[in-house]
Amino acid sequence: MPSDPLPQRISVTEMYEQLAVLIGSEHVSTHSADLAYAATDWTPLSVKRGLAGEKLLTPAIVAFPPDEQGVSSVLRWAGQAGVTVQIVGAASST
């Protein structure tokens, strides 16, 4: 049985537009401060890597779903679009 082809890459603009329809543009960001926040956490491993000068992977876009339905919609969309999702909560290990 042939496997499904890999999804085509989606541009940041397309991601923004599609997410804005799902959860509202006020819950989607490409601002550098939001991207940096999403790339950083305070787990011991991340702190160690940061102190060692390792470059953190920065997301292309950040979604802040307003509720459980928004989270579900974003995750469903990401699965269909072939977009990797990294969940960020309070960005701490405590």
Side-chain angles (χ1 to χ4, degrees):
M1 180 184 295
S3 62
D4 291 334
L6 292 174
Q8 297 294 316
R9 287 204 111 166
I10 183 170
S11 73
V12 174
T13 301
E14 290 172 310
M15 284 191 277
Y16 187 95
E17 290 169 353
Q18 292 175 19
L19 287 168
V21 169
L22 286 177
I23 60 174
S25 61
E26 67 275 17
H27 300 291
V28 184
S29 177
T30 56
H31 293 118
S32 59
D34 292 329
L35 301 178
Y37 174 80
T40 307
D41 68 46
W42 296 102
T43 59
L45 180 59
S46 290
V47 170
K48 182 179 178 181
R49 287 178 171 169
L51 291 173
E54 289 185 38
K55 182 167 173 33
L56 299 173
L57 297 176
T58 303
I61 195 163
V62 179
F64 301 99
D67 53 29
E68 291 175 10
Q69 182 179 353
V71 172
S72 178
S73 295
V74 169
L75 293 176
R76 187 177 314 104
W77 167 84
Q80 292 170 348
V83 173
T84 302
V85 173
Q86 174 65 44
I87 307 297
V88 177
S92 76
S93 61
T94 59

